[in-house]
C-alpha cells in the first residue's frame, strides 16, 4: 500500500522532471553506440537497460498524459472565456436606461474614476455585473466617504464600450446634449457637463 501511495506522490513532481528523465532515458536507449562510447555510457544498457527502458516508458507516458490534460484544460478555458466574453459584451450592449446614465458620467466628467453612492441600486448592479469595480486603495480595502466610494470602469469595458452604447455621439447635437443633461443620475445634479 505504501508503494502505491509513493507512486502517486511521484506524479506530483513538476512535468519538467518527467520530460528530463524521458529525454535522458530515450537518448541512452536510442543513441548510436559510438556516441555512447564517447561519453563512457556504452555499457550502461547492458547493466541497467531494463531500468532505463522502464524509466523511458513511464516518464513518456506521464508526459503524454500531462500534455493531454494541459490541452484539454487549455481548450476548456478558451471555450469558457469566449462564452464569458460573449455574455459580457451582450450585457454591455444591452444596458438599461439607468446603467447608461451612470456610464455616461465617466465621459461627461472626463475621468477614469468617479465617486458614487455605494447604496445606489444601479451602482450595485454594475459592480455585480463587473462593469465597474470599487477602487482598492489599501490591499483589499477601500475608502468610503460617507456613503460614497470611488469606482472605475473595468479595462474590458473601457476597451469595448462604444459611445452609441450609452446614447452619446462623437459630435452631439444640442438635442442630444439636452437629453443627456436631463437624464443624469440624481447624485450628479451638482456637477456640470464638460463635454
Amino acid at each position: 500500500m505504501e508503494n502505491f501511495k509513493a507512486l502517486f506522490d511521484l506524479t506530483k513532481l513538476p512535468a519538467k522532471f518527467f520530460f528530463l528523465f524521458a529525454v535522458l532515458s530515450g537518448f541512452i536507449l536510442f543513441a548510436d553506440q559510438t556516441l555512447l562510447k564517447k561519453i563512457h555510457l556504452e555499457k550502461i544498457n547492458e547493466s541497467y537497460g531494463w531500468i532505463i527502458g522502464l524509466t523511458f516508458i513511464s516518464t513518456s507516458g506521464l508526459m503524454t498524459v500531462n500534455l493531454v490534460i494541459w490541452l484539454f484544460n487549455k481548450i476548456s478555458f478558451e471555450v469558457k472565456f469566449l462564452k464569458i466574453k460573449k455574455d459580457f459584451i451582450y450585457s454591455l450592449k444591452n444596458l438599461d436606461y439607468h446603467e447608461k446614465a451612470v456610464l455616461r458620467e465617466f465621459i461627461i466628467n472626463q475621468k477614469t474614476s468617479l465617486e458614487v453612492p455605494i447604496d445606489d441600486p444601479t451602482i450595485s448592479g454594475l459592480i455585480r455585473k463587473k462593469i465597474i469595480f470599487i477602487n482598492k486603495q489599501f490591499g483589499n480595502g477601500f475608502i468610503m466617504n460617507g456613503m460614497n466610494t470611488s469606482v472605475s470602469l473595468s479595462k474590458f469595458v473601457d476597451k469595448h464600450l462604444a459611445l452609441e452604447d450609452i446614447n452619446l455621439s462623437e459630435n452631439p447635437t444640442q438635442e442630444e446634449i439636452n437629453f443627456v443633461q436631463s437624464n443624469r443620475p440624481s447624485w450628479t445634479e451638482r456637477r456640470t457637463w464638460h463635454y
Side-chain angles (χ1 to χ4, degrees), residues 130-131 133 152-161:
K130 296 182 178 17
I131 291 175
F133 64 92
S152 296
L153 291 175
S154 74
K155 287 181 182 176
F156 186 85
V157 171
D158 200 28
K159 184 178 177 182
H160 290 89
L161 185 69

Side-chain angles (χ1 to χ4, degrees), residues 79-105:
V79 168
K80 284 178 187 173
F81 179 75
L82 286 173
K83 185 186 179 324
I84 289 168
K85 184 178 175 181
K86 184 180 172 186
D87 292 345
F88 198 77
I89 288 174
Y90 177 81
S91 68
L92 203 55
K93 302 296 179 188
N94 292 283
L95 298 164
D96 71 26
Y97 173 84
H98 299 289
E99 291 169 334
K100 289 179 182 182
V102 170
L103 296 181
R104 277 195 300 263
E105 289 303 309

Side-chain angles (χ1 to χ4, degrees), residues 139-156:
N140 284 331
F142 60 92
I143 295 174
M144 288 184 66
N145 178 15
M147 286 306 289
N148 289 346
T149 192
S150 179
V151 296
S152 296
L153 291 175
S154 74
K155 287 181 182 176
F156 186 85

Side-chain angles (χ1 to χ4, degrees), residues 115-155:
E115 198 163 292
V116 297
I118 197 69
D119 60 341
D120 184 271
T122 306
I123 298 295
S124 301
L126 288 169
I127 291 170
R128 188 177 36 77
K129 288 180 178 180
K130 296 182 178 17
I131 291 175
I132 62 173
F133 64 92
I134 298 173
N135 296 331
K136 309 284 187 193
Q137 279 88 359
F138 305 105
N140 284 331
F142 60 92
I143 295 174
M144 288 184 66
N145 178 15
M147 286 306 289
N148 289 346
T149 192
S150 179
V151 296
S152 296
L153 291 175
S154 74
K155 287 181 182 176

